[in-house]
Amino acid sequence: MANATLKIDLDALCANWKTLAALSASETGAVVKADGYGLGAERVATALARAGVRTFFVATSEEGASLRAALGPGPTINVFAGHMSGDTDMISDLQLTPMINSIDQMLRHVEALPGHTFGVQLDSGMNRLGMEPAEWHAVRDIVIEQRPSLIMSHLACADEPDNPMNAYQLEVFNEMTEGLGIPRSLAATGGILMGKEYHFDMTRPGIGLYGGQPFTDAQIVARVSLPVIQTRDIEEGETVGYGNSWIAKRPSRIATVGAGYADGIFRALSGKLSLFHRDSPCPVAGRVSMDSMGVDITDLSEDPKHLDLLNSEQTVDSLAQAAGTIGYEILTSLGQRYTRRYKG
Ligand SMILES: *Cc1c(COP(=O)(O)O)cnc(C)c1O
């Protein structure tokens, strides 16, 4: 079999949720947008529901619809994009809870689905989604009469606990929501780690569940192993891969592994990436191709059957650092070609 394998440890995922829930002062939800950060929303959410999660968050109503099919009627499914035009039937038929982002969405929602549950998303400074303070003050009393299920906002800099933006957004959020008697939510993974004043009535961890920073105590959830398709000996001065960018400085042994940039192994990592045989790093030789890449295994004492991209030696965050990105992007880029094995 030439497919690379993506092993997803659902027990570790649930353990991460439990650890974050123990830190949270209130109910702990779970964010499973973007197909559960690339790891498979259905499997991830089903495992989390079994572990005790009652409230899920997704980006769009379409994601919410497939999640409802997987979870059945019990859990709450909140949609960050709110009530978009064309979403009404899905929201109604599948009992989704749109997080209303604007007066326009509010009008659409009450006209199309009067009495249907909704939440409100406020902008406390990130300027991405949600009602601005002025907009909110204009409609707040009318909206509160409709008893939203949740009022939420999102922190822009929660991965930097010392950034003054956090305290600023906390103050703005408190000002906008104090004394309304509606459950509130501000913290994602980073906010949970910043302490109880950020927790309110509901926390919304995403990346920490999947084993990524800023949750440093996370257990590893995703492991990726790439099959060795072929090995060869080359002489000093021979080249490997497109563009001849790698030239052997010594007689070398090269393994060609079966995964490439179509599997989320960014071509920009060429020259900066190593794969692992147990705990031994083996540098990638030359450019990452679409479906394969060469790896310098000269220093190994045996030919490996596979080499690891993600394991305990190379985490989503160390790989992200090499690629100049964040663990979120590594996970959501992995793509659909891996053979997926779920544990737990
Ligand atoms: C993605 C997202 C989350 C989860 O954030 P993490 O940093 O992955 O924990 C929570 N809330 C909103 C609004 C989001 O967009």
Side-chain angles (χ1 to χ4, degrees):
M1 192 181 74
N3 269 9
T5 47
L6 167 55
K7 284 189 203 153
I8 297 150
D9 187 341
L10 298 172
D11 293 333
L13 171 93
C14 293
N16 290 337
W17 179 76
K18 284 184 177 147
T19 308
L20 289 167
L23 292 172
S24 297
S26 51
E27 183 182 342
T28 304
V31 179
V32 297
K33 62 192 180 188
D35 196 28
Y37 288 46
L39 300 183
E42 287 188 19
R43 298 297 299 264
V44 159
T46 304
L48 289 170
R50 236 184 286 128
V53 176
R54 286 171 289 138
T55 304
F56 292 88
F57 293 84
V58 291
T60 66
S61 290
E62 286 83 352
E63 289 182 349
S66 39
L67 191 62
R68 179 63 76 205
L71 291 176
T76 298
I77 300 175
N78 291 327
V79 178
F80 291 139
H83 193 144
M84 296 286 285
S85 129
D87 284 359
T88 300
D89 287 351
M90 261 186 296
I91 290 171
S92 164
D93 296 349
L94 299 163
Q95 289 298 306
L96 308 179
T97 306
M99 298 288 115
I100 299 297
N101 285 299
S102 63
I103 294 176
D104 280 355
Q105 285 200 351
M106 192 68 234
L107 292 173
R108 177 181 294 131
H109 186 72
V110 293
E111 273 171 25
L113 298 173
H116 184 101
T117 177
F118 68 97
V120 176
Q121 185 157 200
L122 301 178
D123 176 42
S124 55
M126 187 175 183
N127 286 314
R128 188 176 67 168
L129 284 175
M131 290 191 218
E132 298 284 321
E135 196 181 8
W136 176 235
H137 284 296
V139 296
R140 187 166 89 173
D141 293 347
I142 312 168
V143 172
I144 295 306
E145 271 172 34
Q146 312 278 322
R147 307 308 298 169
S149 59
L150 188 70
I151 301 181
M152 59 166 284
S153 187
H154 195 50
L155 297 169
C157 302
D159 56 340
E160 302 166 19
D162 297 333
N163 194 311
M165 184 67 170
N166 295 313
Y168 169 76
Q169 285 193 267
L170 179 62
E171 193 186 316
V172 171
F173 186 62
N174 265 318
E175 237 165 57
M176 291 172 89
T177 60
E178 210 134 54
L180 298 178
I182 305 291
R184 294 184 282 176
S185 175
L186 180 62
T189 303
I192 294 174
L193 301 172
M194 285 194 303
K196 299 217 184 304
E197 55 186 333
Y198 287 88
H199 295 177
F200 295 91
D201 304 291
M202 167 83 68
T203 58
R204 314 183 305 268
I207 191 68
L209 307 175
Y210 307 98
Q213 300 280 12
F215 183 33
T216 34
D217 295 337
Q219 293 188 26
I220 295 175
V221 175
R223 293 170 194 270
V224 169
S225 180
L226 315 181
V228 173
I229 300 173
Q230 202 184 2
T231 48
R232 74 186 72 240
D233 292 312
I234 63 171
E235 291 178 17
E236 183 181 336
E238 282 196 273
T239 59
V240 175
Y242 280 123
N244 289 356
S245 67
W246 191 89
I247 304 165
K249 294 198 181 79
R250 56 177 177 168
S252 299
R253 188 150 180 86
I254 299 295
T256 302
V257 298
Y261 58 76
D263 305 290
I265 305 166
F266 307 130
R267 187 171 172 280
L269 277 167
S270 304
K272 299 181 201 162
L273 176 65
S274 286
L275 303 182
F276 283 80
H277 178 56
R278 301 193 189 96
D279 56 359
S280 307
C282 305
V284 166
R287 287 192 190 150
V288 177
S289 300
M290 185 185 290
D291 319 303
S292 66
M293 56 193 159
V295 183
D296 182 359
I297 57 164
T298 313
D299 294 329
L300 296 183
S301 53
E302 57 184 332
D303 280 355
K305 287 207 174 59
H306 49 80
L307 289 162
D308 292 341
L309 175 73
L310 291 176
N311 63 7
S312 48
E313 304 295 324
Q314 183 156 264
T315 64
V316 285
D317 291 298
S318 54
L319 186 58
Q321 197 173 13
T325 182
I326 52 177
Y328 303 68
E329 192 180 18
I330 297 291
L331 287 175
T332 55
S333 299
L334 290 173
Q336 292 306 316
R337 190 158 55 173
Y338 291 94
T339 297
R340 288 161 180 245
R341 298 226 166 87
Y342 289 90
K343 173 173 166 282

